[in-house]
Amino acid sequence: MNHSELSRMAGAIDDSTINIIVVIIIIIIILLRRLQTTYGLGGVVMKWFRSYLSGRTQYVRSSTTSSLPSAVLYGVPQGSVLGPILSLLYTADLLQLLIRHRLHPHAYADDTQIYGSCILPDTDMLQERMSVCVDEVSQWMASNRLLLNPAKTDVLWCSSARRQHQIPTGSVRIGNTSVVPVSMVRDLGVYIDADLTMSSHITATIRACFAALWQIRSVRRSLTREALLTLLRALGHQG
């Protein structure tokens, strides 16, 4: 989404975003059953998934000493390509629950956002709908061995800059916790401001680039010209 699209959104709607952090403790047996019954996987495919997820062990190693291996009964392999996909398949029903409340979900692995929009006079109604929805989310999670973490839940009201003084500032009920709205959230590495100007993200990007340039400057005399140019190009592509 480019800057002009964000500006158009800010002028057209007042958007409430709840960023929910879910602690994923995926029960492998439940996941395998869900892949078979919900998604219709079977035969060789199910044998492959069962082989991939089952029979894993973990242990702790310190220097030359290791603990006894312990069977891994929960979760998906960390750092794997399939990990985020399997997490989404495990929680797919949660997204349908959010849609039934006329809200818009966005999920990546264990990070879920709930979006809703309204005109200014209806902000109380939207806030109540969000709270009721999160109550059902919490119940769904409990029945699926998941945990909603209110301490890592953010609420962000978005509007155009000229309407910032009109958006709600009171706390929003998330389960048994009251969450005070914030002016900026970080979503998958992107900083989003309440006025959708992206100024926080631009500032953070510039700060990171200056820090990287300072590090490159400190070692530039030890680098060839080609190596230095390669680092600078990589920094440009990353930014």
Side-chain angles (χ1 to χ4, degrees), residues 24-41 45-46 48-50 52-54 56 73-77 80 82-92 140 144-146:
I24 296 287
I25 308 177
I26 293 180
I27 311 299
I28 293 176
I29 296 176
I30 298 177
L31 175 59
L32 289 171
R33 187 185 307 128
R34 192 159 294 176
L35 290 175
Q36 189 169 11
T37 58
T38 303
Y39 300 102
L41 301 184
V45 176
M46 274 307 300
W48 187 89
F49 272 110
R50 190 172 289 108
Y52 178 71
L53 294 170
S54 304
R56 291 183 175 270
L73 304 177
Y74 312 100
V76 293
S80 63
L82 282 176
I85 298 174
L86 290 173
S87 295
L88 288 176
L89 292 177
Y90 189 86
T91 58
W140 184 91
N144 285 271
R145 307 294 182 88
L146 303 177

Side-chain angles (χ1 to χ4, degrees), residues 10-239:
I13 65 173
D14 296 298
D15 188 32
S16 174
T17 302
I18 292 186
N19 183 26
I20 294 180
I21 302 297
V22 182
V23 178
I24 296 287
I25 308 177
I26 293 180
I27 311 299
I28 293 176
I29 296 176
I30 298 177
L31 175 59
L32 289 171
R33 187 185 307 128
R34 192 159 294 176
L35 290 175
Q36 189 169 11
T37 58
T38 303
Y39 300 102
L41 301 184
V44 176
V45 176
M46 274 307 300
K47 289 181 180 179
W48 187 89
F49 272 110
R50 190 172 289 108
S51 172
Y52 178 71
L53 294 170
S54 304
R56 291 183 175 270
T57 59
Q58 60 185 5
Y59 65 92
V60 178
R61 181 175 179 177
S62 177
S63 186
T64 58
T65 304
S66 301
S67 66
L68 293 175
S70 176
V72 177
L73 304 177
Y74 312 100
V76 293
Q78 298 297 305
S80 63
V81 175
L82 282 176
I85 298 174
L86 290 173
S87 295
L88 288 176
L89 292 177
Y90 189 86
T91 58
D93 292 342
L94 172 62
L95 305 184
Q96 295 303 315
L97 185 155
L98 301 177
I99 293 173
R100 287 199 299 272
H101 283 271
R102 293 178 291 121
L103 297 169
H104 307 284
H106 180 267
Y108 179 78
D110 62 347
D111 192 1
T112 303
Q113 293 88 42
I114 306 174
Y115 299 91
S117 62
C118 69
I119 58 177
L120 279 172
D122 294 339
T123 53
D124 289 341
M125 294 175 57
L126 176 59
Q127 183 169 313
E128 178 61 24
R129 195 161 85 242
M130 284 276 190
S131 295
V132 171
C133 176
V134 173
D135 286 341
E136 290 195 25
V137 167
S138 183
Q139 294 172 8
W140 184 91
M141 288 180 179
S143 64
N144 285 271
R145 307 294 182 88
L146 303 177
L147 176 65
L148 173 65
N149 192 348
K152 292 187 177 180
T153 297
D154 293 322
V155 175
L156 176 70
W157 289 94
C158 298
S159 73
S160 60
R162 62 186 177 85
R163 290 184 176 180
Q164 281 293 301
H165 67 284
Q166 297 177 294
I167 61 177
T169 57
S171 59
V172 177
R173 181 180 62 81
I174 303 297
N176 297 323
T177 305
S178 295
V179 179
V180 178
V182 296
S183 59
M184 181 270 295
V185 295
R186 187 185 184 198
D187 180 21
L188 298 178
V190 178
Y191 294 89
I192 302 176
D193 303 296
D195 56 6
L196 298 178
T197 59
M198 303 298 291
S199 59
S200 295
H201 184 74
I202 293 171
T203 300
T205 301
I206 292 174
R207 186 185 301 115
C209 287
F210 270 114
L213 285 172
W214 180 260
Q215 291 178 332
I216 293 174
R217 181 178 182 272
S218 65
V219 299
R220 72 185 190 282
R221 297 185 185 279
S222 303
L223 300 174
T224 64
R225 177 179 174 79
E226 286 193 6
L228 181 61
L229 290 175
T230 298
L231 285 176
L232 292 175
R233 292 192 189 102
L235 177 63
H237 287 302
Q238 183 180 7

